Amino acid sequence: CELELPSFAPDGSKMVVAAGMPAEVGKPWQRLFTVTSDGRDLAELSFPIGDAIWPKWHPLRNEILFEGVLEGEAVGLYVASLDGSMRRLGANPNESGSLPTWSPDGTMIAYVVGDSEPGPSGRPLDSLQVATADEDADEAVLIPEVGSDTGLRIYRYYWAPDGRHIAYADRTKYGGFLKADVFAFDICDGQTRMVVEEVDMHTDLSWRPLP
């Protein structure tokens, strides 16, 4: 199987991964597994759902946020416990690739909403949503400016340790292939600044830890 996007439990003893498995009748192709940090005790998390991807362990609790596709239903975001219980969030990412993540303190959830229709420039548009974990609020904090030469295609993004800033890679300018520009975004005042241009699209970004 192919493992991707591991996410550690708060105590570092386990991680959760999404794995593409060989086709089996009655089972989804993309499933979630936990494994100990030393590579032992691989166990599948069985939920009543289809493909499950982008798992992220809550920073303080044994809850896992992930994107799921239930047959006959639209893509959705789910929070599951290790005992197999699961709830669907009200978030509506519109299409797969929402990249859901917890904020560093676990009080908020960010995810990407993809617009199925391209903007005036003919390029696809994304927006970044931030919701409170209790779902009392859910707002678009980063949206593209609509214009002839604008677009926004978020390939990856990363919360800063302060929970206020998010770094993201925008691949719009490069047609969605190989390269991206990196920006830092303030979710409180809505300000964005470019950090670096034309990096490899698969580059992992990292924030400096808080002192």
Side-chain angles (χ1 to χ4, degrees), residues 7-16 37 57-62:
S7 177
F8 278 94
D11 64 3
S13 63
K14 289 185 177 182
M15 67 180 77
V16 61
S37 300
W57 215 304
H58 191 282
L60 301 176
R61 302 192 296 268
N62 278 327

Side-chain angles (χ1 to χ4, degrees), residues 80-200:
S81 301
L82 298 185
D83 63 6
S85 60
M86 180 183 72
R87 62 186 173 93
R88 179 168 180 149
L89 303 181
N92 179 23
N94 291 347
E95 61 181 21
S96 185
S98 60
L99 311 174
T101 62
W102 302 101
S103 64
D105 63 1
T107 62
M108 295 182 286
I109 293 168
Y111 63 99
V112 175
V113 172
D115 191 337
S116 58
E117 296 296 327
S121 66
R123 299 167 179 166
L125 304 179
D126 284 339
S127 63
L128 184 67
Q129 297 275 141
V130 171
T132 55
D134 59 12
E135 299 193 85
D136 282 346
D138 187 349
E139 298 183 8
V141 296
L142 177 63
I143 57 178
E145 296 180 6
V146 177
S148 59
D149 296 321
T150 62
L152 180 65
R153 203 62 173 171
I154 300 171
Y155 179 68
R156 296 187 182 191
Y157 70 92
Y158 302 83
W159 285 92
D162 64 7
R164 172 170 174 166
H165 295 85
I166 292 175
Y168 67 93
D170 179 5
R171 57 192 172 98
T172 303
K173 190 166 67 178
Y174 304 99
F177 298 101
L178 301 179
K179 301 293 183 181
D181 296 335
V182 177
F183 298 82
F185 172 68
D186 187 327
I187 67 172
C188 295
D189 64 19
Q191 297 298 307
T192 300
R193 63 184 177 87
M194 179 180 285
V195 177
V196 64
E197 290 185 275
E198 200 171 345
V199 300
D200 186 285

Side-chain angles (χ1 to χ4, degrees), residues 68-85:
V69 183
L70 188 61
E71 186 175 357
E73 294 188 14
V75 174
L77 301 186
Y78 296 82
V79 173
S81 301
L82 298 185
D83 63 6
S85 60

